[in-house]
Amino acid sequence: MQISNFLKDWTLIIAILAGVAGYFVFTALPLPLSAHAVANRAVAVIQPMLIFAMLFLTFCKIDPRRLRLRKWHLWLLLIQCGLFAIIGSLLIVLPHSALRVVLEGAMLCLICPTATAGAVITKKLGGDVGNITTYTILINLANAMLIPALVPFVHPNPELSAVSSALLILGKVFPLLLLPLAGAMAVRTLWPALCRRLAQYQELSFYLWAVALALAIAVTTRSIVHCSVPVSTQLWLVAVSLACCLLQFGVGRRIGAVYHDKITAGQALGQKNTVLAIWMGYTFFSPITSIAGGFYSIWHNIINSYQLYEHKKHRHH
């Protein structure tokens, strides 16, 4: 029990260190180039599989009867999708902007869906689990439509037309974000006993997230080591991830306060599925933009830790 609690309390640090160390240990091994190519292909397959499995297990726990659409859901969707579209449109108009990489990092941090663990933190802070679960589903749906529609024009693939690139991205994003939900709902309807059994394995979802984060950090480390982007640009990515994190927690809580659901709205907009953000960065944008997703993971966990500390302190008083 003590080991389990230690791992949970320090998962973020352990995953980051494991990812960074894992990359350098692997590259230090006297392996042929073919082994590195195989490892890259394996990570490209395993990473989305882990994300799929995490979402599927999370959605198996959802009771559709508890899902309700709230007005603040629509405001948060408008903010996330609107800012993503505005920055994307700016990059389409100014394709050679010196701030392209930094703005792409901001796009990742803004459009990234709510974390699968968002409901857990929301519950601990006294928020509404049903409301954040509803928003998680809505923002996943929005991502599945908006990313394929805009990214091919923001970051065009020189080997593909815009339509072909959109279809390629749709083929990667749609199954990853929507099939877990469809699969979980199908299992709940056809095999309710199996769904109840799977819903009990939320601990497994936690450890899958830890493995996925370690892999994502390893990929981010590789991007940093091999990139030709100036250090100043990398530091700007770190700064923009912090700015996006503070902005989204703050705006979410302010909008939520209007509808008497401050905690839930703040977590819905601020706590992100950063493993997915890192994956989107090196899959659809410049690989170096994954730095933004990696550091966002640090920032939102620091904010969550502070919120939990303050909540616990107020409860004792």
Side-chain angles (χ1 to χ4, degrees), residues 113-132:
T114 306
T116 55
V120 177
I121 302 297
T122 300
K123 184 177 181 179
K124 289 183 177 181
L125 292 173
D128 191 301
V129 173
N131 285 349
I132 194 173

Side-chain angles (χ1 to χ4, degrees), residues 52 55-56 59 62 67 137 140-141 175-186:
F52 182 97
L55 289 172
F56 176 73
F59 290 144
I62 291 175
L67 303 180
I137 294 173
N140 273 288
L141 289 169
L176 192 62
L177 295 180
L178 298 188
L179 283 187
L181 175 62
M185 294 300 104

Side-chain angles (χ1 to χ4, degrees), residues 187-230:
V187 170
R188 174 176 286 274
T189 303
L190 300 174
W191 303 285
L194 175 61
C195 187
R196 287 193 295 271
R197 186 71 178 270
L198 290 171
Q200 297 174 359
Y201 289 100
Q202 296 307 304
E203 289 285 315
L204 176 59
S205 179
F206 174 81
Y207 291 113
L208 288 175
W209 170 79
V211 174
L213 181 59
L215 284 176
I217 294 298
V219 172
T220 302
T221 303
R222 182 186 65 186
S223 300
I224 294 172
V225 171
H226 292 284
C227 82
S228 55
V229 175

Side-chain angles (χ1 to χ4, degrees), residues 3-30:
I3 295 176
S4 177
N5 290 336
F6 173 81
L7 291 175
K8 286 183 178 180
D9 291 341
W10 297 94
T11 298
L12 177 68
I13 301 300
I14 293 171
I16 290 173
L17 294 176
V20 174
Y23 169 77
F24 285 110
V25 169
F26 181 77
T27 53
L29 295 174

